[in-house]
Amino acid sequence: MVDRQGRMIDYMRISVTDRCNFRCRYCIPPGGAPCIRTGGAPLEYGEILQIVRAALELGICHFRVTGGEPFVRPGLTGFLREIKELPGVETLSVTTNGSLLEGRLEELREIGIYSLNISLDTLDPDRFEWLTGKRELEKVLAAIRQAAEMGFPHLKINCVPLEGWNEDELCGLAALAREYPLDVRFIELMPLGAGTVWRRVPQSRVEERLEEQYGPLLAEKEETREGRGPAVYCRPAGFQGKIGFISAISHEFCESCSRIRLLSDGTLKPCLNGPGRVKLGEMIRRGAGTEELKEAMRAVIFEKPARHGFEEIKGIAAGEEWACGGEEGCFMSSIGG
């Protein structure tokens, strides 16, 4: 499927729930966020599979399952297996906070999960509890160690640098890629919802800290992106894995974006921040078949915005507190963060 900008759209992020067992402060505010902010009940797994089959017929062949926290939803591994067995699925990946992986890693590897992304923003137990509301850092670290020791393919740690909070830990987090054969990616904070009260740490500042500790990064930087995502990687000397940067604000990558997002209620969004959507869940529940779904998906994908427009939200350039962008009420948990 090709959009109006000539980009090949072949990657769908699927949110199976907007619920999470953590309450990370830049994702869900301390008072909580209403679930399914777009309105409507979560899709049944069978309904999601109906959309995936239609997407496959449009040429979408790479899928990532996320949440909220996807493993809070019962039956997830069986659902993952059903997706992976569909003809035409080239890769299936999962993003998780890692706290519920115990006892599941062997099955995930057997299913053939292409990439396992685990979110981790601090190595300090007290900070972890303050950020997430749970004292479960060791559980997450144990899952990371187990996955690495199993030789889990494409194991990635996602860290969001937050000004004045975990900047002093960035080198320590990066060191996980020295100790284990995994990649550590630093992701710029998106100016959405609860994230608007934080200040992002730009990629340049993260690089400066890493270079102070590990030497020059730019000379070894691999300018080509890996996999289906937007990360740009480098491999410091002596590291088993790589360091990646996903910097939607300071290093915009919209011109190469290949993804769309399916929210847990069946709403298809062509861009995280941009306009345009179609409520596929509502269509299914009134009896829409594959051809009708494909027609609706084709129309919204073709009109995928050229750019996310985050820099037009008040305060980004100046580093001030951000006004909220987007259309959902902006909580990342509700749009498959």
Side-chain angles (χ1 to χ4, degrees):
M1 179 71 204
V2 177
D3 71 1
R4 184 184 291 276
Q5 313 303 320
R7 296 170 296 198
M8 178 63 68
I9 309 302
D10 60 2
Y11 179 7
M12 176 184 283
R13 289 180 64 102
I14 300 170
S15 172
V16 295
T17 179
D18 61 1
R19 297 182 182 274
C20 187
N21 58 326
F22 286 0
R23 288 294 181 269
C24 295
R25 292 170 181 255
Y26 59 76
C27 183
I28 300 175
C35 287
I36 311 297
R37 294 186 60 82
T38 51
L43 293 183
E44 299 293 334
Y45 285 141
E47 293 171 329
I48 300 175
L49 289 170
Q50 187 176 344
I51 293 172
V52 170
R53 291 188 185 97
L56 285 164
E57 293 190 20
L58 292 176
I60 295 169
C61 53
H62 304 281
F63 300 88
R64 175 172 294 278
V65 171
T66 180
E69 167 50 45
F71 288 101
V72 302
R73 183 162 180 178
L76 182 72
T77 52
F79 169 67
L80 293 173
R81 189 181 298 276
E82 288 190 84
I83 291 183
K84 191 63 174 63
E85 291 176 351
L86 289 175
V89 173
E90 292 190 17
T91 66
L92 175 62
S93 304
V94 176
T95 294
T96 171
N97 63 34
S99 66
L100 301 175
L101 285 176
E102 184 178 3
R104 291 186 166 101
L105 285 169
E106 204 56 72
E107 185 175 7
L108 292 176
R109 187 170 65 172
E110 188 270 326
I111 288 170
I113 298 302
Y114 173 79
S115 169
L116 181 65
N117 293 10
I118 301 176
S119 301
L120 180 65
D121 299 319
T122 178
L123 296 172
D124 181 278
D126 294 328
R127 285 182 178 178
F128 187 92
E129 182 177 16
W130 181 86
L131 180 69
T132 68
K134 296 290 183 68
R135 199 164 185 84
E136 296 190 353
L137 173 61
E138 186 50 46
K139 186 180 292 187
V140 176
L141 291 175
I144 292 171
R145 287 192 292 266
Q146 183 184 358
E149 290 166 1
M150 288 170 57
F152 209 100
H154 306 287
L155 178 60
K156 301 171 185 177
I157 309 304
N158 291 341
C159 172
V160 178
L162 301 170
E163 184 178 274
W165 189 75
N166 64 351
E167 284 185 271
D168 60 333
E169 293 194 73
L170 301 183
C171 292
L173 286 157
L176 291 171
R178 181 173 58 184
E179 184 177 359
Y180 300 107
L182 53 79
D183 299 338
V184 175
R185 290 114 57 86
F186 295 102
I187 303 175
E188 281 186 347
L189 180 69
M190 293 290 191
L192 293 172
T196 62
V197 300
W198 297 79
R199 292 172 184 256
R200 68 183 174 92
V201 180
Q203 177 179 327
S204 59
R205 202 151 84 220
V206 178
E207 289 181 331
E208 288 173 6
R209 286 183 174 270
L210 297 182
E211 287 178 341
E212 289 174 2
Q213 182 74 26
Y214 301 117
L217 299 178
L218 294 179
E220 301 181 16
K221 184 166 292 184
E222 304 168 8
E223 294 299 337
T224 57
R225 296 191 174 106
E226 297 185 1
R228 308 308 308 169
V232 176
Y233 291 91
C234 64
R235 189 193 298 271
F239 274 52
Q240 297 186 64
K242 298 182 291 297
I243 303 300
F245 300 95
I246 301 178
S247 308
I249 307 301
S250 64
H251 293 71
E252 182 182 303
F253 43 79
C254 295
E255 76 286 346
S256 61
C257 182
S258 62
R259 69 184 61 189
I260 54 176
R261 293 172 179 262
L262 182 67
L263 279 58
S264 56
D265 71 341
T267 299
L268 185 71
K269 278 181 64 70
C271 177
L272 178 64
N273 187 54
R277 67 184 59 218
V278 58
K279 295 185 179 297
L280 300 178
E282 292 183 2
M283 292 177 61
I284 288 174
R285 287 168 180 171
R286 65 170 183 260
T290 298
E291 291 304 316
E292 189 176 348
L293 290 175
K294 285 168 56 180
E295 182 179 351
M297 293 169 68
R298 186 181 290 111
V300 76
I301 291 172
F302 185 73
E303 297 296 338
K304 179 178 168 70
R307 301 175 57 251
H308 57 56
F310 277 130
E311 79 288 352
E312 294 155 15
I313 300 173
K314 177 183 179 293
I316 289 183
E320 302 167 359
E321 291 187 359
W322 295 326
C324 186
E327 305 172 359
E328 278 71 49
C330 307
F331 295 103
M332 284 297 291
S333 61
S334 71
I335 49 179

